[in-house]
Amino acid sequence: MGRPEGVRPRAVALGIFATLALFSAIPGAAMSDPNAPERPPAPGSSQPHRRLKRGWIWKQLFVPEEDPTPQVIGQLKSDSDRGDSSIRYILSGEGAGDVFQIDEYTGEIRTLGKLDREEKAFYVLQAQAINRRTNQPEEPESEFIIKVQDINDNVPQFQNEPYVSSIPEMCPTGTTVARVTATDADDPMFGNNAKLIYSILQGEPYFSVEPKTGIIVTSWPNMDREARDQYLVVVQVKDMLGLSGGYSSSTTVTVTLTDVNDNGPTFQHHLYAFAVPENAAVGTTVGRIMAQDGDIGINAKMTYSLEDDLEASATFIIRTDPVTQEGVVLLAKALDFETKRRFVMAAEAANDHADTRFLPLDEFRDRTTLKIVVEDVDEPPVFLSPLYEWKVPENAAVGTAVGSVTAEDGDAFNNPVRYSIARRSDAARAFKIDPNNGTVTTAKVLDREAAGWHNLTVEAKETAQGHLSSSAAVFIKVLDVNDNVPRLATDYQPYICEGTQPGELVQLISAVDPDEPAEGHHFYFSMVPDRHINPNFTLRDNQDNTAGIVARRSSFSRRDRTQYLLPVVVTDSGSPALSSTSTLTISVCSCQPGGHCPTGGVRALAMSMGVSLQTLLGLSVCLLTLTVLSVLMLLLRRHRRKQQEGLEVDTKELELPETVSQKVLYYKEAGAEGARLDSCPGSAVPLRPHPRRKERRLRREDVRASIRMSLRESHLIGPEDDVFRQFILDRLVEADEDPYVPPFDCIRAYAYEGSGSPAGSLSSLDSAELGTEHTAGGSRAHVVRLSPWCGAVDEDTF
């Protein structure tokens, strides 16, 4: 920024005035008072002490700012200074040596550069006068102030920029808009350098500003936001009260007019026409209407309504779109072109928040007319009822009429309609429908127990034009008829304990019937009529659809009889009544002390698991067999480990006569004592194949027999048992009739017979010598020489 004109001469004049004022403010600075008392003697002098007169008094000095030329601003002078340079002046304090410098001989104070009052306004310094010869102060140290004199060298600056303000539209004249504030770094106490004044450069005639305070106010009445909503006001500030040579700056104030509700809604058209097809769904948008409102925000919110036509108000509704403020006309009820083809109604739009300060209440609403035309659409036939429900007894004959449906074509053409049953709803083809009159009849004999309800879908289709169709639901309930006999509720397996007392309950039974009579089931239980009364059991009907089997005597024993058959007759209460006879098998059981039968318990467990007793026993046998096989395999592995040192077993099949089939086992034990069979030396000679001989495996019957025998042995059944004896005889017959099986003289036969067999054991496992011969019957005993095949001597092997 440039320096204003006329400042430099005034600053020089002020500097001269400050110099003159300095010397005038220092009494005795240039000369001493002749009547003044003498100075105190020098140190070490023998003169008496006298009070000295104050020789100098310093006041503040002035120096203009922003003057770069070094200049004398004042001079220090002591009364004792005779001009012989015996006094040395010393300056100390703020700026001494840097900003200010003193001549130690004359006491003149000079500036070393330009000063800035805005940076530092004054300096505090101390001055001393020292006698050069004695180096003692001639005067006490004195303090004085050098003040920097202000000049107009700063431009006023606006604070808190930018300025943004808002006022409501239509506000009265003189409404405060904003206040701008500017500051000037110059000295406000010295002249007019910092005295500011405000003015408007842009924004008139709408706004004005207070010259001294900077307050901006409106100066134009009824400013309309809808015409102009924003103004830019430029404010200027000048120092020196706006006089020539001062500085100035400007700022911009953005003034926004806020909206008030000074406009009402207005429709742009007096009539709105819409068309809607008669088959439009409820909720379909028919059209949109719009009332213009110059306001914004909450002042523009409006509500639409329909008036005049009560029927139309029920058929159509109007809602306000919150985003666009449009009135959305919606269909509220189904249309029918044949009933009504045109609707005329009035629509009104009204502001939600009316402000009567600006407009009358009637001007905050407006009306228009709506005309809605219904368009004709080809529609499908319409059933007189959306659903039908009929009843038919299950014993109805084929062709029985169940009911009839009716559908009509509502269009002006009134096309004929044909009926049909949707096949997906009647997969069993149990019903038929007359395509012309819609009568539904039975096509099959119905069974309520198989299907109690039939849900059909009947379709009606036009025979002309678009062949449109519609459907209706038909529910047919099949009424119950007593056509099923009652039966016992479950497969009862009753048992009676030995020692049961007369009158004790053996089994409680109940019955079931697939039929469902309206009054509920009632079953009657009885025994089969006979000439003689059953001496063992009687049947007691409890009259609650249950009956109890009661013992009539106490002499039940398994030795006498293990089972009793008891026929039971169950009769229902239908019309006509139906009955059935079931025979119960009552087993006699040696019950445990608590009255529980082990067999009955197993049977009950099997029934509760949903399996038969035979299946449960089979599973038990399988588990037992697996356990035994596992143990045998472990024992076999241990036995093989013991015989790894040299024991070998070779098995060869020898060709025997047709009447005898034998398997010979060869034993070899090196160095062993006792009679043992020696194997053939050298390699084994292959046997000559016999034409009738077949490779055979262990038959399944043998495995099953072993399992059954193991099970019997687990139950400790002795040889005296009939079943056991018969089993042994069957196995002997099998062995005798089949010439290709191994000899019956084996461990298995020995296990069957036991150690108490009268024939004794025929097994060679118990033989102590090789030469011993055993016979087990005439036809099964044969001695064969083995030397021709093995090459051994006659005495070695037989």
Side-chain angles (χ1 to χ4, degrees), residues 183-200:
T183 58
D184 196 323
D186 293 328
D187 189 0
M189 305 302 296
F190 184 79
N192 296 325
N193 294 341
K195 292 183 179 180
L196 307 178
I197 189 169
Y198 300 91
S199 61
I200 291 282

Side-chain angles (χ1 to χ4, degrees), residues 308-523:
D308 294 344
D309 193 341
L310 296 179
E311 183 181 357
S313 298
T315 306
F316 301 93
I317 59 174
I318 187 169
R319 293 178 180 173
T320 303
D321 190 329
V323 179
T324 62
Q325 293 299 307
E326 292 178 312
V328 183
V329 182
L330 303 174
L331 182 63
K333 189 169 62 176
L335 300 175
D336 186 9
F337 175 81
E338 290 72 25
T339 304
K340 190 168 184 177
R341 304 181 180 184
R342 188 179 66 173
F343 297 87
V344 179
M345 66 202 79
E348 183 181 77
N351 276 138
D352 294 344
H353 305 280
D355 195 342
T356 55
R357 295 178 303 171
F358 305 102
L359 293 175
L361 186 61
D362 294 340
E363 295 189 18
F364 288 102
R365 62 183 64 246
D366 194 17
R367 296 166 64 116
T368 188
T369 302
L370 295 181
K371 182 179 179 181
I372 300 177
V373 178
V374 180
E375 298 176 343
D376 186 25
V377 176
D378 187 16
E379 298 174 309
V382 179
F383 283 90
L384 298 183
S385 176
L387 59 90
Y388 298 86
E389 185 173 346
W390 303 324
K391 297 180 181 179
V392 59
E394 63 176 324
N395 60 352
V398 175
T400 302
V402 182
S404 179
V405 298
T406 303
E408 296 179 353
D409 185 9
D411 295 328
F413 300 100
N414 193 14
N415 296 316
V417 177
R418 294 185 64 85
Y419 303 93
S420 62
I421 297 177
R423 289 306 178 187
R424 64 181 181 277
S425 63
D426 186 21
R429 306 293 192 270
F431 299 92
K432 295 190 301 183
I433 188 171
D434 191 318
N436 297 316
N437 57 22
T439 301
V440 179
T441 59
T442 58
K444 291 182 179 180
V445 178
L446 305 179
D447 185 7
R448 189 203 65 83
E449 287 71 33
W453 284 87
H454 294 271
N455 302 330
L456 307 180
T457 301
V458 178
E459 296 179 348
K461 180 181 293 186
E462 296 178 353
T463 58
Q465 290 187 353
H467 300 284
L468 300 178
S469 64
S470 61
S471 61
V474 177
F475 303 100
I476 301 176
K477 181 179 181 181
V478 182
L479 301 179
D480 183 47
V481 175
N482 190 26
D483 57 348
N484 291 277
V485 298
R487 299 184 182 277
L488 294 181
T490 184
D491 184 14
Y492 293 101
Q493 301 291 335
Y495 66 91
I496 185 171
C497 298
E498 295 179 335
T500 300
Q501 299 299 320
E504 288 188 14
L505 179 65
V506 177
Q507 179 73 52
L508 184 67
I509 61 176
S510 61
V512 293
D513 193 334
D515 296 323
E516 291 184 0
E519 63 279 1
H521 286 293
H522 187 78
F523 301 112

Side-chain angles (χ1 to χ4, degrees), residues 514-786:
D515 296 323
E516 291 184 0
E519 63 279 1
H521 286 293
H522 187 78
F523 301 112
Y524 304 93
F525 299 87
S526 62
M527 301 177 64
V528 177
D530 198 354
R531 294 178 299 173
H532 304 286
I533 298 176
N534 192 324
N536 302 314
F537 305 97
T538 184
L539 192 64
R540 182 172 59 198
D541 195 336
N542 298 325
Q543 300 299 319
D544 59 353
N545 292 337
T546 63
I549 301 175
V550 181
R552 300 192 62 177
R553 63 185 181 88
S554 59
S555 58
F556 291 98
S557 175
R558 288 180 54 84
R559 294 183 179 181
D560 298 335
R561 191 171 181 179
T562 59
Q563 291 181 346
Y564 294 89
L565 301 180
L566 180 64
V568 177
V569 180
V570 183
T571 307
D572 60 15
S573 58
S575 179
L578 300 179
S579 63
S580 65
T581 302
S582 301
T583 301
L584 298 178
T585 301
I586 304 176
S587 302
V588 180
C589 178
S590 299
C591 297
Q592 297 177 353
H596 302 290
C597 181
T599 306
V602 173
R603 183 180 296 107
L605 176 61
M607 293 177 63
S608 64
M609 295 174 60
V611 297
S612 63
L613 180 61
Q614 291 78 3
T615 304
L616 187 62
L617 291 176
L619 293 175
S620 302
V621 171
C622 291
L623 293 176
L624 180 60
T625 304
L626 291 175
T627 305
V628 172
L629 291 176
S630 300
V631 174
L632 291 177
M633 289 178 65
L634 292 176
L635 295 177
L636 182 59
R637 289 182 179 180
R638 291 183 180 180
H639 182 69
R640 287 181 177 178
R641 292 194 189 99
K642 293 180 180 180
Q643 293 183 349
Q644 286 180 356
E645 295 180 357
L647 183 61
E648 295 181 0
V649 179
D650 297 329
T651 304
K652 296 183 179 180
E653 294 184 356
L654 302 179
E655 181 181 357
L656 300 178
E658 296 181 357
T659 58
V660 179
S661 178
Q662 294 283 352
K663 286 187 178 180
V664 182
L665 299 178
Y666 291 88
Y667 300 88
K668 179 181 180 180
E669 184 176 358
E673 295 180 1
R676 295 278 183 169
L677 290 177
D678 294 334
S679 61
C680 299
S683 59
V685 180
L687 300 180
R688 179 174 55 86
H690 195 277
R692 298 182 182 180
R693 201 167 185 278
K694 297 183 297 182
E695 294 294 332
R696 301 184 57 84
R697 296 181 179 179
L698 187 60
R699 294 181 298 175
R700 294 184 178 180
E701 289 80 5
D702 296 340
V703 177
R704 293 174 182 172
S706 300
I707 294 174
R708 288 195 295 269
M709 180 54 63
S710 301
L711 181 61
R712 288 189 176 90
E713 289 180 356
S714 64
H715 289 286
L716 303 179
I717 299 177
E720 68 277 0
D721 189 79
D722 295 338
V723 177
F724 187 86
R725 289 196 297 269
Q726 185 63 37
F727 178 77
I728 294 298
L729 294 176
D730 293 342
R731 302 286 79 75
L732 289 173
V733 171
E734 290 179 2
D736 292 338
E737 293 180 355
D738 191 353
Y740 299 105
V741 300
F744 205 67
D745 182 16
C746 60
I747 298 177
R748 182 183 63 181
Y750 185 72
Y752 288 158
E753 297 177 0
S755 59
S757 175
S761 176
L762 301 180
S763 174
S764 60
L765 297 178
D766 293 335
S767 301
E769 296 179 0
L770 292 175
T772 306
E773 297 182 358
H774 300 277
T775 60
S779 62
R780 301 286 294 179
H782 296 278
V783 179
V784 182
R785 295 181 62 87
L786 303 181

